[in-house]
Amino acid sequence: MFRTAMQTFRYSHLPHEFSTVHVALYTNVSNAVALRNRIVRASQLEGPEGDAERDAINFAFIDARLICSLLHLQTAIYQAALAQAQGSLRTRTVHSEILWTLNPTNNITEAIRRYGVADATTSLIVVRITSPGLDNVEERMGAVVDGTLSSLGQLADITDWASIKKYYKLNGEPAVKEAAKDPRREKTIIDEIVTSSVAMKSVMA
């Protein structure tokens, strides 16, 4: 049985304030349009109201269709947390850095458009990088996302392999073409290529 709940990962070698990562998968998401508008509005609000709203939505919101595997996701999260620790973020926040890391190009606007919340999003991965002391994270996520909290083990049923191949330009990749008649092997190869690309992106950028 898959565990239907938020999962928590810890990186004890990273600085305390971002050594803990909370991850949840929501399916049947029904408020994508409102959530996207809320994110945009929060970036424009000023003063205490803006601070409070930004804190309420202080997560990475990732289109689950574009994640190959849990390892793919964890690799992007770790690269973003490491960039934060090293003071080398290429985006405004550690959470937007995850989206940048997932995207094969260095265009942050493209990364947010592809990997963030879109109006048609129905499956969403929500990530919070924080210190170990933050309480009620799952409740905070549930207050923002209208959807069904689901097991991360369901990712395999959600992944849009055709879109991933398109974005990473893998349709002409010899190893992928060779495995085309064996869907399971093809997906494994794609996952390996994409995860390796994410792991190397900060070095190559």
Side-chain angles (χ1 to χ4, degrees):
M1 291 291 292
F2 290 125
R3 181 169 174 262
T4 306
M6 180 188 77
Q7 290 192 31
T8 299
F9 307 98
R10 304 192 190 281
Y11 300 111
S12 58
H13 58 289
L14 292 180
H16 180 80
E17 60 269 29
F18 31 84
S19 62
T20 302
V21 178
H22 305 286
V23 182
L25 170 64
Y26 287 87
T27 56
N28 304 312
V29 174
S30 60
N31 70 325
V33 174
L35 178 56
R36 184 170 175 271
N37 290 337
R38 186 176 180 183
I39 293 168
V40 172
R41 180 172 178 270
S43 69
Q44 300 168 343
L45 284 173
E46 298 180 355
E49 182 185 5
D51 293 339
E53 183 65 358
R54 282 185 287 274
D55 182 64
I57 59 166
N58 187 17
F59 302 100
F61 299 99
I62 305 165
D63 189 335
R65 298 178 309 110
L66 300 179
I67 301 300
C68 299
S69 65
L70 184 56
L71 179 60
H72 176 210
L73 175 64
Q74 287 177 306
T75 302
I77 292 170
Y78 179 74
Q79 291 298 320
L82 188 62
Q84 173 81 45
Q86 295 174 339
S88 58
L89 288 178
R90 293 167 176 81
T91 65
R92 293 178 62 183
T93 71
V94 69
H95 293 128
S96 58
E97 191 80 4
I98 297 172
L99 301 179
W100 178 85
T101 304
L102 286 166
N103 194 45
T105 77
N106 293 325
N107 187 320
I108 182 57
T109 302
E110 179 185 79
I112 292 171
R113 185 179 70 249
R114 285 181 174 178
Y115 288 85
V117 184
D119 290 352
T121 299
T122 56
S123 298
L124 199 61
I125 293 170
V126 185
V127 180
R128 178 67 180 263
I129 298 178
T130 184
S131 68
L134 186 65
D135 296 324
N136 305 317
V137 178
E138 189 172 310
E139 288 80 0
R140 292 170 186 244
M141 291 177 174
V144 175
V145 180
D146 291 338
T148 305
L149 183 61
S150 304
S151 167
L152 286 166
Q154 290 183 241
L155 270 176
D157 299 323
I158 296 171
T159 304
D160 180 350
W161 296 97
S163 291
I164 292 172
K165 285 196 293 184
K166 176 184 175 182
Y167 292 155
Y168 272 85
K169 296 180 170 58
L170 296 179
N171 286 307
E173 175 67 32
V176 174
K177 291 172 67 176
E178 184 181 334
K181 294 181 180 179
D182 184 345
R184 180 178 294 183
R185 182 164 173 263
E186 181 188 36
K187 291 173 183 177
T188 298
I189 291 171
I190 294 169
D191 185 22
E192 290 174 351
I193 293 172
V194 170
T195 301
S196 295
S197 297
V198 169
M200 292 298 295
K201 184 170 183 181
S202 62
V203 178
M204 303 299 291

